[in-house]
Amino acid sequence: MSGFFSPRLLRNLLPPLSLAALLVAIFVLQPRTMSYFGLNLLLNLAIPITLATIAQMFILCVNELDLSIGGFVSLVACIVATWLHDTPLLGIAALAGLIAVYAALGALIHLRNLPSIVVTLGMSFVWLGLAVLVLPTPGGTAPEYVRTLMTLKPAYVPFPIIASVVIALVVHIFLMRSAWGTVLRGAGGNPRSLERAGWSILKIKMTMFALAGFFGVLSGIALVGLTTSADANIALRYTLLSIAGVILGGGEFVGGRISPIGAVIGAVTLTLAGSFLSFLRLNPDWQIGAQGAILIIVLALRVLVSRAEKRQ
Amino acid sequence: MTLELHPGECLSLVGHNGAGKSTLMNVLSGNLAPDKGRIEVAGVDITGCLTPQNATAHGVRCVFQELSLCPNLTVAENARISHPSISGIGWRGDARRLIGDKLDEVFPGHGIPADDMVSDLSIARRQMVEIARAFAVTTAEARVVILDEPTSSLDTVAAKKLLDHVRSYVRSGGTCVLISHLLGEVLDTSDRIAVMRDGGIVALDRASAFDRNSLVKAMGSVVEAVTDRAAEAAAVRDTAPVVVQATPGASRSSVLAAHRGEVVGLAGLSGQGQTELLVRVFDRAPGTTVDGEVALVAGDRQIDGIFPLWSIAENISIGSLRTFLKGMFLDRAAARDFADSWRDRIGIRTPNVDNSILSLSGGNQQKALFARALASPAQIIVMDDPMRGVDIGTKQEVYEMIREEAAKGRTFLWYTTEMDELRNCDHVYVFREGAIVADLRRSDMSEERVLRASFRADA
Amino acid sequence: MNMIAAMFRQPWLWAWLGALAAWLATSAFIGGKGSGEVMSAAMTFGAFFVIVALGQMFVITLGPGNVDLSIPACMTLAGTVSMKAMDGAATMIPVGLALALLVGAGIGVLNYALIRLLRIPPIIATLSSSFVFQSAAIWWNRGLRVKPPEALADLMTAKLGGMPVIALFVILLTIAGHLLLSRTIYGRGVVAIGQNMRAARLAGVKTERIRATTYIMCATLAGLCGYLLAAFSGGAALNMGEEYLLSSIAVVVIGGTSVAGGFANVPGLWGASLFLFLLVTMLNTFGAGAGIRLVMTGLIIIGVIVAASGGRNRT
């Protein structure tokens, strides 16, 4: 009896529908955005936010929370704009080291049974401090190839759209479709059952944290490619945006319920919500507020849907 | 005791609460290490090296009472979790086929899509998936399948299908251990039946050697004598006013009523809706009438009862903070003296009530929880199987105190899984599947009647 | 002997020892000259952290998942609203204060309503609401920086017997907070909920009422801090609350409060905020840059939580 508009379907459709509604509203308000360059401009900054959101999603999937992703992306941006540009080998080694630190954090949190929220809070200071050490004053230069990649102008479809779709599909196939990803998600749903079946929760946590670190690195690289230079505070607000993006995309705090496609949609929605008001020719002061409001509205809608579901 | 499992037989374990069925099962599945004794598989001693991880490799499969599926994964994905050999390209199809075929085999016409999320399935369907997953074979064969109350959430049709499958599985040479409280299905399905009591096997024989009556008899202890309090209890029920009235969640249930000064027992197997009813009385949920303040004594100390970071005194006084208010602030000295006096009254064995609650033994922690409730101004005390794991000496002291307090006019609702404790009650309601199925006066109460009501007569 | 042993078990001790060590090291480095000023500055700046950390402490004590992320937005909004309302007029000082407290309380009510109605973890509720409040502050502020009434600004920097007045005031506030925590039915309830919400409910604690009170109180304190900080720093700035988000949590944790809930400690708040400020001052005088200071702060937070953890027994 999977009715066409069953609550479950509605629940899954909520993120894309909110994005579509927002896009339509923007097109109506400002028809010029409905062009190649308009969309390019509108969605450019969505790429690094999307990548950071995916990073946060890996952490949330194993029932932890990362309050340091913003600082981490800032640090990566600083390294990319300095070391990776000047001495590529050192830069690559540093970025690889950062991913290893992330995996180690996952191990520390699991082995010592620490609250991830405090550990990552501490790490946010560390990342920010390191970023200041690497790049004390705003500046640096993006490596040429990064710059070229981020300013690609493919025919017909703007680069940010292609990038978002590719990110969503790659992560979806890995995490939601592959045999490996299934085990990783299972660790969020019922860790005891996984242990009974002989899987190591420690390895799973380390993998998920390393993946988060990897996508954090990608996010930093993409960000520098767009801004051409970096500063230590460049991505601090990504911490809150990434959490909001995962939740907006249908993810939940516990139980391993996440959706990569939803997270990408959530991140794009948040980016658009920021610029939506400027097209309304209303006060641009409410940009951040619009992000919050959309988050609240979607969460409220979700409560309504799940109530309907319960009644069924 | 020695329990031998032969290929091609189904052995059933029956017994009342706490008889040791689930413990035995946990040992067999590697979740608990045996204190002593040995486990042998095909003549090889594997004691000490049996873990949940390699139990599967030894061919032991379990279906636990609390389900062990990942709710955020689909049915097929859950099959992948417990069968690591399913992987590589096209794994999803393999998993779908494995679990789908098994479901078709065990529960023909089940109607469970392999791509449905487990959290979207009903409890019954989850149970079916769990069972099918245990019977499914990839690399290691399923030599022994242990089923713990497998039919508890299945309807009669699905239960019948499962039991038929157990028979055909056994015919093909497998071994099945069935734990169930439905005596009908036990008698029909098993080759042999072991009756357990107090951690040991008290009867073990071919299934045909038992009938329902002899099983119930074997589960119970020796014949009891009716105590002299029967007359007195009847008097309370006839004269005192009703202070609590409540109906359990299930439809078609009788109403529970407690009179002032009465000790009312809630009996039956564990998890039949007794705790839920007590919490509803405590919350004054719709559908209950409660006349007076209510205090609760938790049974599961770790989950519902103690505050582990607090001292004994703080744990006792939280129930009656209002009485220590001096203006805006709490009088801590008074609270401490109060806890001290209750320590003496109830006999909590500690030199100092400022010690951590965790410094007490389980029984004494339970006494502290009793003190919390009895010390409060509440006139109605609801008790959620509070004597689990408490030594016999403590129990006697507490029984005495409950009688005293009841004589002073307090009312007790007492959920207990222990037959002995029901003898301290004036009136007993037996619960089964969320409903009250028997309403026994003190004079009518006997172990056999409670057991008979607890185990469904049909099925 | 026993008393010394008991001393060492006090959770606030380490924060205070750390603060003392940082102060001594700084004093030794600058040769004793100005060490009084360093302490006085620490008391003043520390006071602002203590105000918000006090509210955050009660929230965190409610147990896992309870964190108020809307503190910075709340501070900014209360600061801008009150500064604009006073518009530099000394007679409006009480009105401004009342407005700031009202804004805080209102935010607390909204936060709790979201938590309750949307049934979402407090961390997400306060996160999403903070976006809205932040915008409200930007919109209300309109890029202007309204100066506080002079009398109020003077009061913020005034000293009484060598002690900053603001610090004295916050000391009184923390004493009240300590009494609230340890000597009232409300305080006992908060601690009980943090240890075991279900057990607290079954022991007769009014859990929802206490949770609501806690979120409202936390936001009200943030509003108060926004008002005082704006008065202290010559007007409300849009980013004035920024560093208070992570710092409020850090102060609570370093101060010895259990991040898993159920155990709180007020004296530790002062120790931890003095420690964090003095640590920065010390590294400053040693010539360390901002980067080193931040890295040290982060490592100390992680060190504290690792040292305080007992291994695998999280419930």
Side-chain angles (χ1 to χ4, degrees), chain A residues 65 110 112-115 118 121-125 129 132 240 247 253 283 285-286 288-289 292 295 299-300 303 307, chain C residues 118-121 123-124 127-128 131 135-136 139 142 246 249 259 291 294-295 298 301-302 306 309 311-314:
Chain A
L65 187 67
H110 178 71
R112 300 282 307 187
N113 196 16
L114 301 175
V118 180
L121 166 75
M123 285 316 289
S124 74
F125 285 97
V132 171
L240 301 187
I247 302 296
F253 252 99
N283 211 320
D285 301 343
W286 287 98
I288 315 170
L295 194 54
L299 288 174
V303 171
R307 263 194 207 153
Chain C
L118 299 190
R119 272 175 269 143
I120 47 179
I123 192 163
I124 272 296
L127 164 68
S128 36
F131 286 163
S135 264
W139 169 70
R142 299 210 170 273
L246 298 182
I249 304 174
V259 76
L294 286 163
V295 171
I301 294 173
I302 295 175
V306 169
S309 77
R312 293 208 61 84
N313 49 8
R314 185 165 58 180

Side-chain angles (χ1 to χ4, degrees), chain A residues 27-302:
Chain A
F27 288 157
V28 169
L29 288 167
Q30 187 54 274
R32 262 183 297 167
T33 53
M34 222 184 333
S35 66
Y36 185 94
F37 287 101
L39 281 173
N40 209 6
L41 211 62
L42 207 56
L43 291 170
N44 239 338
L45 274 177
I47 301 176
I49 296 180
T50 298
L51 289 164
T53 306
I54 293 286
Q56 185 71 261
M57 186 197 70
F58 283 116
I59 307 272
L60 278 173
C61 183
V62 281
N63 302 336
E64 308 285 356
L65 187 67
D66 187 357
L67 285 185
S68 74
I69 192 73
F72 182 73
V73 173
S74 299
L75 171 60
V76 171
C78 291
I79 290 178
V80 170
T82 53
W83 297 352
L84 194 63
H85 180 260
D86 306 332
T87 47
L89 269 184
L90 177 66
I92 290 168
L95 294 179
L98 287 181
I99 296 174
V101 173
Y102 247 82
L105 282 177
L108 178 75
I109 286 170
H110 178 71
L111 290 176
R112 300 282 307 187
N113 196 16
L114 301 175
S116 56
I117 181 167
V118 180
V119 175
T120 55
L121 166 75
M123 285 316 289
S124 74
F125 285 97
V126 173
W127 300 137
L128 185 59
L130 290 177
V132 171
L133 287 177
V134 172
L135 190 66
T137 50
T141 325
E144 204 44 50
Y145 50 92
V146 175
R147 180 88 198 117
T148 318
L149 176 71
M150 293 310 291
T151 49
L152 272 183
K153 297 259 184 309
Y156 307 116
V157 187
F159 179 65
I161 296 181
I162 297 179
S164 303
V165 171
V166 167
I167 295 166
L169 284 183
V170 166
V171 180
H172 179 82
I173 288 168
F174 167 71
L175 195 59
M176 308 302 282
R177 304 297 300 174
S178 80
W180 235 110
T182 301
V183 175
L184 295 177
R185 279 183 297 134
N190 190 343
R192 251 194 88 195
S193 149
L194 254 85
E195 259 173 341
R196 260 186 205 156
W199 303 99
S200 155
I201 300 291
L202 172 69
K203 277 187 202 150
I204 292 175
K205 281 237 162 118
M206 287 178 70
T207 310
M208 290 304 246
F209 271 77
L211 281 168
F214 177 67
F215 276 86
V217 165
L218 292 185
S219 170
I221 294 174
L223 183 58
V224 173
L226 289 171
T227 57
T228 68
S229 66
D231 83 84
N233 297 316
I234 192 166
L236 289 191
R237 56 191 198 96
Y238 280 20
T239 300
L240 301 187
L241 276 182
S242 65
I243 301 173
V246 178
I247 302 296
L248 200 55
E252 277 171 35
F253 252 99
V254 285
R257 284 167 217 276
I258 41 91
S259 149
I261 295 177
V264 170
I265 290 176
V268 173
T269 310
L270 282 177
T271 319
L272 285 179
S275 36
F276 171 59
L277 284 165
S278 52
F279 293 110
L280 258 183
R281 298 230 188 85
L282 271 181
N283 211 320
D285 301 343
W286 287 98
Q287 278 190 16
I288 315 170
Q291 296 176 333
I294 284 183
L295 194 54
I296 294 174
I297 291 168
V298 172
L299 288 174
L301 284 176
R302 208 189 288 175

Side-chain angles (χ1 to χ4, degrees), chain B residues 69-99:
Chain B
L69 298 172
C70 294
N72 61 330
L73 302 183
T74 67
V75 172
E77 286 171 341
N78 266 291
R80 145 82 180 149
I81 296 288
S82 57
H83 295 277
S85 60
I86 304 178
S87 65
I89 307 279
W91 70 273
R92 199 169 281 270
D94 295 345
R96 234 182 251 138
R97 220 166 302 121
L98 178 78
I99 194 77

Side-chain angles (χ1 to χ4, degrees), chain C residues 2-274:
Chain C
N2 243 340
M3 265 182 58
I4 296 172
M7 260 293 274
F8 274 95
R9 276 199 302 272
Q10 291 298 330
W12 46 263
L13 182 78
W14 302 105
W16 278 98
L17 282 182
L20 186 68
W23 182 59
L24 288 178
T26 313
S27 303
F29 196 80
I30 56 178
K33 273 186 298 219
S35 59
E37 277 79 62
V38 168
M39 199 35 141
S40 167
M43 295 290 284
T44 307
F45 283 97
F48 294 114
F49 284 104
V50 170
I51 298 174
V52 285
L54 187 62
Q56 187 76 281
M57 180 192 77
F58 277 99
V59 170
I60 288 179
T61 306
L62 285 176
N66 285 288
V67 180
D68 189 347
L69 294 185
S70 71
I71 283 180
C74 180
M75 285 173 63
T76 314
L77 186 60
T80 38
V81 168
S82 59
M83 288 306 124
K84 213 168 166 186
M86 293 189 289
D87 199 19
T91 49
M92 292 291 281
I93 290 178
V95 179
L97 177 63
L99 267 178
L101 295 179
L102 215 63
V103 167
I107 286 177
V109 170
L110 286 175
N111 279 342
Y112 181 72
L114 284 179
I115 294 168
R116 195 69 206 277
L117 294 179
L118 299 190
R119 272 175 269 143
I120 47 179
I123 192 163
I124 272 296
T126 54
L127 164 68
S128 36
S129 71
S130 77
F131 286 163
V132 178
F133 303 141
Q134 183 70 32
S135 264
I138 298 173
W139 169 70
W140 195 258
N141 189 51
R142 299 210 170 273
L144 302 172
R145 195 174 173 107
V146 184
K147 277 210 176 326
E150 217 158 286
L152 187 60
D154 289 345
L155 187 67
M156 286 301 112
T157 47
K159 285 189 181 172
L160 199 70
M163 277 282 268
V165 172
I166 173 80
L168 288 174
F169 166 71
V170 176
I171 288 173
L172 289 180
L173 193 69
T174 40
I175 291 173
H178 181 70
L179 288 175
L180 187 66
L181 176 71
S182 58
R183 299 287 298 277
T184 64
I185 292 184
Y186 164 77
R188 299 268 84 190
V190 170
V191 178
I193 290 172
Q195 290 179 58
N196 188 335
M197 179 118 160
R198 185 173 154 86
R201 189 170 75 81
L202 294 178
V205 174
K206 303 266 178 279
T207 48
E208 286 310 320
R209 203 180 297 171
I210 286 179
R211 264 167 29 115
T213 315
T214 307
Y215 277 94
I216 294 170
M217 183 176 76
C218 178
T220 310
L221 283 170
L224 174 68
C225 185
Y227 172 80
L228 295 175
L229 188 64
F232 176 75
S233 47
L238 283 179
N239 60 353
M240 62 187 262
E242 227 166 52
E243 56 174 326
Y244 284 77
L245 174 59
L246 298 182
S247 297
S248 69
I249 304 174
V251 165
V252 171
V253 173
I254 295 178
T257 293
S258 163
V259 76
F263 178 81
N265 182 283
V266 176
L269 295 180
W270 265 108
S273 51
L274 287 180

